[in-house]
């Protein structure tokens, strides 16, 4: 009897040790790499049990979207001419860039006006044949010899432009484009700068190149939705003659013509000539190209009229900067 009791006392530690050994083996069977340390304790409620890598699919989706967008822009550029955009004439090429322009204008009545970002902004290629522009409103700072009529403020906002490229071919082909677009302008300017009317600007653009020389041109209308008798309509025509030199130089000469139909300037023709030089594109990193340029614009028609002020100014110094991506 005593021997049996002693045997039972010795067997208990072995049974306990066996349980401990099994527990140890179970713990060691789960490598640290497979353990989810982000899980909250069972007693904590209302917490997500998602692992830290849960955001990876979303990140991959965003990266794939941006890569596809960039690839589409490259494909569009490969199927159209590779010219530089003129200083004043809006190009019919589809662009993906941010553009900032400024000008210093001197009028025949002695007023000086500094215009910042006159209707430029962010251009995005959104399909194989479409581009949209989201522009900033122009900001004017005007001074006069007497101080009378001086002001600072925003002009009417041409906030959205939608381009449709109808046909194009790169330099390896026929080297041309044909494009149409619609620009919408909202009457958001301060009193001296607003037309008090929504305005629509439908335009057709075409361009043709011969080696290093190209011509880009536009014909469009300025059509206010109201106050037509007061404002009148306009037909605007711009033609840019451009030559490509030494990889980065684009000397140009532009003719910018506006014909007024009705309104206080009805029957008049305002014509500016614009020699200029565009330089670019300079690489800034892997996917950004920088372009800049400047020009001098002067009026040749009509003769000065103080009321209504025509031409809008006698001459101007122009500056442009673009960041293509």
């Amino acid at each position: 009897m005593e021997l049996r009791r002693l045997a039972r006392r010795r067997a208990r530690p072995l049974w306990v040790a066996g349980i401990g050994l099994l527990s140890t083996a179970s713990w060691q069977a789960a490598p640290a790499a497979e353990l989810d340390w982000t899980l909250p304790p069972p007693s904590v409620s209302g917490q997500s049990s998602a692992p830290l890598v849960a955001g990876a699919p979303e990140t991959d989706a965003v990266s794939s979207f941006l890569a596809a967008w960039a690839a589409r822009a490259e494909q569009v550029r490969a199927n159209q001419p590779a010219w530089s955009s003129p200083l004043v004439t809006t190009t019919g090429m589809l662009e993906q860039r941010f553009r900032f322009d400024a000008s210093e204008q001197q009028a025949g009545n002695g007023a000086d006006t500094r215009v910042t970002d006159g209707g430029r902004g962010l251009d995005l290629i959104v399909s194989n044949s479409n581009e949209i522009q989201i522009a900033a409103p122009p900001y004017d700072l005007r001074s006069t010899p007497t101080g009378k009529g001086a002001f600072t403020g925003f002009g009417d906002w041409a906030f959205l432009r939608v381009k449709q490229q109808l046909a194009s071919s790169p330099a390896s082909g026929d080297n041309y484009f044909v494009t149409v677009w619609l620009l919408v302008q909202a009457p958001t300017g301060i009193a001296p700068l607003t037309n008090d009317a929504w305005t629509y600007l439908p335009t057709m653009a075409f361009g043709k190149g011969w080696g290093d020389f190209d011509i880009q041109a536009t014909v469009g209308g300025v059509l206010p939705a109201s106050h037509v008798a007061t404002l009148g309509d306009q037909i605007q025509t711009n033609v840019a003659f451009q030559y490509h030199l030494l990889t980065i130089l684009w000397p140009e000469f532009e003719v910018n013509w506006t014909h007024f139909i009705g309104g206080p300037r009805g029957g008049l023709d305002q014509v500016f000539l614009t020699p200029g030089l565009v330089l670019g594109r300079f690489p800034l990193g892997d996917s950004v190209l920088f372009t800049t340029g400047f020009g001098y614009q002067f009026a040749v028609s009509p003769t000065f009229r103080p009321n209504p002020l025509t031409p809008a100014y006698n001459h101007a110094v122009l500056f442009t900067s673009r960041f293509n991506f």
Side-chain angles (χ1 to χ4, degrees):
M1 181 66 67
E2 187 64 29
L3 290 174
R4 291 177 183 174
R5 188 179 298 113
L6 182 59
R8 284 195 297 268
R9 289 177 181 175
R10 291 177 178 175
R12 186 171 300 170
L14 294 175
W15 177 80
V16 173
I19 295 295
L21 181 61
L22 289 174
S23 301
T24 303
S26 300
W27 171 257
Q28 292 175 347
E34 298 180 7
L35 297 178
D36 189 355
W37 296 101
T38 66
L39 293 174
S43 60
V44 179
S45 61
Q47 295 187 12
S48 172
S49 60
L52 289 176
V53 296
E58 288 79 0
T59 302
D60 291 343
V62 172
S63 298
S64 298
F65 174 78
L66 294 177
W69 190 305
R72 179 173 57 216
E74 285 301 315
Q75 183 63 40
V76 168
R77 294 185 185 112
N79 292 329
Q80 66 181 4
W83 310 324
S84 181
S85 298
L87 287 168
V88 179
T89 303
T90 300
T91 184
M93 296 181 295
L94 303 186
E95 300 281 11
Q96 186 153 283
R97 65 188 179 188
F98 176 79
R99 178 169 174 173
F100 174 84
D101 286 13
S103 65
E104 185 83 26
Q105 304 169 355
Q106 288 79 42
N109 61 3
D112 293 339
T113 305
R114 182 174 302 163
V115 182
T116 302
D117 204 29
R120 309 299 183 178
L122 179 65
D123 301 330
L124 295 173
I125 297 173
V126 295
S127 79
N128 291 335
S129 61
N130 293 103
E131 173 209 302
I132 63 170
Q133 181 191 77
I134 303 170
Y139 187 81
D140 289 18
L141 191 157
R142 179 169 297 175
S143 61
T144 64
T146 63
K148 184 179 180 180
F151 58 79
T152 59
F154 289 101
D156 285 348
W157 184 15
F159 64 95
L160 179 65
R161 183 185 69 204
V162 180
K163 273 186 183 181
Q164 173 68 56
Q165 193 172 76
L166 303 178
S168 67
S169 177
S172 58
D174 294 326
N175 206 20
Y176 76 95
F177 64 70
V178 179
T179 306
V180 295
W181 63 76
L182 177 64
L183 179 66
V184 181
Q185 179 175 285
T188 58
I190 62 174
L193 295 175
T194 185
N195 290 331
D196 287 323
W198 284 84
T199 304
Y200 304 96
L201 293 84
T203 302
M204 183 172 189
F206 49 92
K208 173 64 180 161
W210 299 268
D212 291 326
F213 176 73
D214 70 83
I215 299 175
Q216 301 182 56
T218 64
V219 179
V222 180
L223 310 174
S226 58
H227 310 303
V228 179
T230 303
L231 299 172
D233 297 320
Q234 301 175 28
I235 299 175
Q236 294 184 342
T237 302
N238 297 280
V239 183
F241 304 92
Q242 195 175 68
Y243 197 80
H244 190 197
L245 290 169
L246 303 175
T247 307
I248 62 169
L249 300 180
W250 297 85
E252 64 165 53
F253 184 82
E254 299 188 44
V255 181
N256 316 114
W257 168 55
T258 301
H259 177 68
F260 297 94
I261 304 172
R265 296 185 177 89
L268 295 179
D269 291 282
Q270 176 180 269
V271 181
F272 290 99
L273 302 181
T274 311
L277 177 65
V278 177
L279 300 94
R281 303 171 174 171
F282 303 101
L284 299 178
D286 293 336
S287 58
V288 179
L289 299 172
F290 173 68
T291 301
T292 188
F294 52 88
Y296 181 77
Q297 188 176 60
F298 57 95
V300 295
S301 178
T303 56
F304 173 71
R305 297 170 181 242
N307 190 25
L309 180 61
T310 312
Y313 48 88
N314 279 358
H315 55 273
V317 178
L318 311 177
F319 167 79
T320 185
S321 62
R322 305 109 182 236
F323 297 86
N324 289 71
F325 57 91

